[in-house]
Amino acid sequence: MENMVYQQDLKRYTEKKNLLLDKSNKSRFCQRQFLPLWEGASGSFTLTEQEKQLNETMENLRKKERENACYGDNKKIYPAAQPFYAVKDHIISSPLYQIFRLMPKGALLHVHSSAALSPEGLIALFENWNIKFPSQRNITQSPMQSLYVLWNDPIPVKWQKGTLFYQWFLTQYTQEDKDVLLKSCVPLGEVLAEPAFRAMLTFTENVESCPYRWESLNAMFSRTANLFEDKEFYREYHKYFFLECLDDNIEYVEMRSGFASFYNTSAPANQIFQSVLAHPDYQWQSHFYFQELNAQNGIQNPDFLDILLTEIASIQKTTEGQNFNLRVILNARRDLNPEDTTQCTKLLDKLNSAILFHAGEQYKKYHDFVIGFDFVSEEDRGYSTSAYHSLIYGAAMQMPLPKDSQYWIDLFQDNVICPSKPRIQLIDFYLHDGESTWSDNANVVDACIASHYRIGHGFNLIHHPYITESILFNKDSCGTYFPMLELCPISNQLLMYYPDLRCHPALSLMRQGIQCVICNDDPQMFGNGGLSYDFWMAYMEFGIDLLDIKRLVFNAYYAKSNYEKSDFRILAQWEHFIEQALEIQTNV
């Protein structure tokens, strides 16, 4: 029999489902009252005397940047109003960047697994790859001979030049298919230093020839996608990423990840990669390239989660005084059509798989590791969030509950079988919404209803004043909170949503009471490894001050407390940062 708690939960989410289906009823939505995720965000923040001193120093540095660019005889473009890749070297040399490098970041709460490592880190990984794993690949040539760049010169656009493949795959496959020739490939070691190679992997001036930046982004994803099907590469890639985070004072990450699948090296190469090479130009010509993986594969072989957990343990053993932690938000691409039977089955497999990882008895070690689900990729050319309402609010699969399982008894108050509860009650949603050029895009409204804790991007919330005007910092009758926005400044700029970030609505949203955090999104493509670059751009362009920066950092730190008990180390870390920053500025 369903207990009273479940009936109350069902009523709560039924009401939310009605809001999702009828978001035009603005008055009903405005009846909700919201509370930030932690009490300190509601307005009790102040600056100490030392912080005020550092705030003044930072203001002076920002003012100097502006005066040097906008006034005098040699007027230039304001650095922060230029594309990030054009001013990255300038940022690195600036005193403000050195301050942000020292700063504890709280947490990185929005980054994609297959684009998490900076381009510098990726090239370093390539340089060391075959030196570390020569025996596993039977390499007899010089380092980096096992990875090739496949050039396609007939492709007319220069920046659409190639993808990366393994030598063993190319060699074996050419025995089966004469259309793929080794003479079309260049050993990766010969091109690592070439600007054209870097342009294949990250945004540079070359993307200016492609006005639609999502095409560039998806092409870059496709060029390295097959590398992640190798377990060892997957492991090393994320190890480099974790260490890069620690180097930038990031000790906690919540990472969006698809359902990784690793190839079986004992299978014939033509069977493993036949679907890829059947369309050799598909990697960069199709907007939606990524191979859709059956989530049941992930259930049967959840190796990629084990690899991440193993790497975390290894990082914690090798770093002194730093304690790195990771959580995963599993996702599906939003170009899958929920009205198509086959594609909807894929979506359901992925979502139900995430629920099993998060709440399934047979995957206890992942309960606190897989924390949520998301629909990712370009919002304007994907399906709306409303299109997925039946998946979000539909009943999950039946799952048997062992009678001796205290976990299930506590979770469901039922020691026999899990009731067919709505999926939104079994896993949290962290939805990518409000990343759109269209002012009438209402996905962010749907996300405000379905996402309990945070929304990815969400800058389009500025077009829905009936929501922002209703934030009263009080709990509503459902006991829910208004979700934070995961702001990604450099991503928003380079994808051309706000080419000049001075026009970004972040400050307006923050002044209306919307709580935010700073994130980096896809640092491999955007070149913004860590969070210091995004904080620099936000500070220089949004018009925020140190009090806002402090709030952003503490928001990020406390946002993770839903899954990890806070030890309040951030307070000591922040005080130490203030002392360090003041000392450096004094010595300068």
Side-chain angles (χ1 to χ4, degrees):
M1 179 182 293
E2 296 176 358
N3 58 61
M4 184 59 67
V5 174
Y6 169 63
Q7 291 177 355
Q8 291 173 350
D9 287 347
L10 182 61
K11 179 180 178 182
R12 172 174 67 175
Y13 287 111
T14 300
E15 291 173 353
K16 286 191 173 185
K17 179 179 178 181
N18 292 334
L19 284 172
L20 181 62
L21 292 171
D22 185 20
K23 55 184 173 288
S24 61
N25 191 338
K26 300 177 183 179
S27 61
R28 286 189 61 193
F29 193 93
C30 284
Q31 291 173 9
R32 298 180 69 211
Q33 298 175 347
F34 306 105
L35 183 74
L37 199 57
W38 62 289
E39 294 180 359
S42 61
S44 59
F45 249 16
T46 57
L47 292 179
T48 65
E49 290 303 317
Q50 281 188 315
E51 289 170 341
K52 290 177 181 177
Q53 184 179 345
L54 179 59
N55 183 52
E56 183 178 355
T57 298
M58 294 173 65
E59 291 281 5
N60 289 335
L61 290 172
R62 179 166 57 183
K63 182 179 179 182
K64 185 177 180 180
E65 287 268 12
R66 183 175 179 179
E67 289 176 346
N68 288 342
C70 302
Y71 304 102
D73 297 331
N74 299 313
K75 293 184 179 180
K76 297 174 289 186
I77 300 175
Y78 184 48
Q82 300 179 58
F84 169 70
Y85 50 76
V87 293
K88 184 175 179 178
D89 290 341
H90 172 79
I91 293 173
I92 293 172
S93 65
S94 70
L96 274 172
Y97 178 73
Q98 306 311 316
I99 291 175
F100 286 123
R101 283 281 291 170
L102 292 172
M103 186 178 74
K105 309 305 191 297
L108 169 55
L109 301 176
H110 183 132
V111 64
H112 293 272
S113 173
S114 57
L117 184 61
S118 71
E120 295 83 5
L122 182 61
I123 290 176
L125 171 58
F126 285 150
E127 290 173 340
N128 293 319
W129 179 238
N130 286 7
I131 297 174
K132 185 168 184 178
F133 299 100
S135 61
Q136 296 181 10
R137 308 186 186 287
N138 298 317
I139 301 302
T140 58
Q141 300 94 337
S142 59
M144 291 317 301
Q145 293 295 303
S146 68
L147 283 175
Y148 280 80
V149 179
L150 177 64
W151 300 100
N152 247 336
D153 290 333
I155 301 297
V157 184
K158 185 177 181 180
W159 56 269
Q160 295 176 328
K161 235 183 173 178
T163 188
L164 302 178
F165 289 99
Y166 288 106
Q167 179 205 29
W168 66 265
F169 150 54
L170 282 171
T171 304
Q172 294 182 39
Y173 198 90
T174 51
Q175 297 171 6
E176 306 289 337
D177 190 332
K178 302 301 182 183
D179 292 335
V180 179
L181 303 175
L182 281 174
K183 68 179 183 180
S184 302
C185 304
V186 178
L188 183 57
E190 297 180 8
V191 297
L192 277 176
E194 294 293 329
F197 174 72
R198 188 183 180 92
M200 287 171 52
L201 300 175
T202 188
F203 279 38
T204 67
E205 289 80 0
N206 285 345
V207 299
E208 295 176 8
S209 63
C210 180
Y212 193 66
R213 297 294 175 84
W214 273 92
E215 295 288 1
S216 301
L217 184 67
N218 281 297
M220 291 171 189
F221 268 112
S222 73
R223 286 168 186 151
T224 56
N226 66 299
L227 299 181
F228 292 97
E229 296 177 0
D230 181 289
K231 286 185 181 181
E232 294 302 331
F233 183 87
Y234 186 92
R235 182 189 300 275
E236 286 297 295
Y237 183 93
H238 287 92
K239 183 176 182 178
Y240 274 61
F241 165 61
F242 299 156
L243 291 172
E244 199 168 71
C245 287
L246 286 170
D247 185 57
D248 199 38
N249 287 311
I250 301 167
E251 298 184 4
Y252 179 90
V253 173
E254 290 183 8
M255 183 168 66
R256 262 73 167 191
S257 177
F259 291 80
S261 177
F262 303 113
Y263 57 71
N264 177 7
T265 54
S266 63
N270 63 314
Q271 292 181 17
I272 300 172
F273 293 102
Q274 191 169 8
S275 61
V276 175
L277 285 187
H279 305 283
D281 294 340
Y282 188 61
Q283 286 87 336
W284 45 80
Q285 291 183 346
S286 172
H287 176 64
F288 298 124
Y289 162 71
F290 299 90
Q291 177 187 9
E292 292 299 340
L293 300 173
N294 188 319
Q296 295 298 328
N297 236 358
I299 293 177
Q300 296 166 9
N301 303 290
D303 295 346
F304 73 106
L305 295 178
D306 288 324
I307 288 174
L308 291 174
L309 287 170
T310 301
E311 286 308 308
I312 293 168
S314 118
I315 292 296
Q316 291 174 341
K317 289 179 181 179
T318 58
T319 54
E320 298 180 1
Q322 293 178 301
N323 182 31
F324 184 83
N325 281 288
L326 173 75
R327 299 293 183 269
V328 169
I329 299 169
L330 293 173
N331 55 248
R333 287 177 56 82
R334 70 189 310 148
D335 55 314
L336 287 174
N337 182 1
E339 301 298 326
D340 179 272
T341 302
T342 302
Q343 295 186 41
C344 186
T345 299
K346 290 182 179 180
L347 284 166
L348 286 172
D349 283 344
K350 291 173 184 287
L351 182 48
N352 288 338
S353 299
I355 292 172
L356 274 181
F357 285 134
H358 180 63
E361 177 66 18
Q362 60 270 55
Y363 296 110
K364 278 186 176 180
K365 61 182 175 180
Y366 303 128
H367 290 167
D368 295 328
F369 185 60
V370 175
I371 62 170
F373 195 81
D374 190 10
F375 299 100
V376 301
S377 77
E378 187 190 6
E379 194 173 339
D380 286 339
R381 292 211 288 187
Y383 289 92
S384 69
T385 302
S386 293
Y388 297 119
H389 72 269
S390 61
L391 281 75
I392 296 173
Y393 294 95
M397 79 294 280
Q398 297 283 333
M399 292 181 285
L401 307 179
K403 292 186 178 182
D404 59 349
S405 171
Q406 189 60 45
Y407 173 82
W408 285 97
I409 293 173
D410 292 343
L411 183 62
F412 297 112
Q413 303 292 313
D414 189 330
N415 63 352
V416 180
I417 193 169
C418 169
S420 297
K421 302 179 78 170
R423 293 182 185 86
I424 196 170
Q425 293 190 31
L426 299 175
I427 195 166
D428 292 316
F429 286 85
Y430 296 78
L431 296 177
H432 266 63
D433 279 324
E435 184 191 19
S436 171
T437 54
W438 296 97
S439 60
D440 60 350
N441 185 322
N443 285 343
V444 72
V445 181
D446 302 338
C448 288
I449 300 166
S451 293
H452 190 79
Y453 295 115
R454 298 195 311 276
I455 297 172
H457 298 285
F459 54 77
N460 252 26
L461 191 61
I462 197 69
H463 298 305
H464 301 277
Y466 56 90
I467 298 176
T468 56
E469 290 171 4
S470 67
I471 298 175
L472 305 176
F473 299 113
N474 295 309
K475 279 190 176 181
D476 70 355
S477 59
C478 295
T480 59
Y481 302 89
F482 189 82
M484 288 184 179
L485 302 187
E486 301 163 348
L487 300 177
C488 306
I490 292 173
S491 171
N492 295 165
Q493 183 200 55
L494 295 186
L495 288 177
M496 302 300 286
Y497 293 108
Y498 293 97
D500 187 335
L501 282 174
R502 289 175 293 184
C503 301
H504 199 285
L507 183 61
S508 296
L509 290 168
M510 292 169 67
R511 292 292 180 261
Q512 292 177 62
I514 302 294
Q515 301 307 312
C516 303
V517 293
I518 295 294
C519 308
N520 60 13
D521 203 11
D522 299 305
Q524 179 183 307
M525 286 69 178
F526 301 136
N528 55 333
L531 285 173
S532 295
Y533 294 116
D534 281 275
F535 270 104
W536 190 93
M537 295 289 276
Y539 182 77
M540 293 295 292
E541 304 202 39
F542 290 174
I544 56 180
D545 57 18
L546 185 59
L547 182 62
D548 297 311
I549 294 290
K550 183 179 180 181
R551 192 188 303 272
L552 290 166
V553 169
F554 278 64
N555 275 352
Y557 184 82
Y558 285 99
K560 67 186 178 70
S561 62
N562 297 293
Y563 305 100
E564 185 171 287
K565 188 173 181 180
S566 175
D567 57 11
F568 300 103
R569 285 188 306 138
I570 188 65
L571 298 174
Q573 291 172 348
W574 182 264
E575 290 176 0
H576 181 60
F577 152 65
I578 296 297
E579 293 174 358
Q580 277 187 303
L582 285 174
E583 183 179 349
I584 289 175
Q585 293 304 312
T586 300
N587 293 336
V588 171

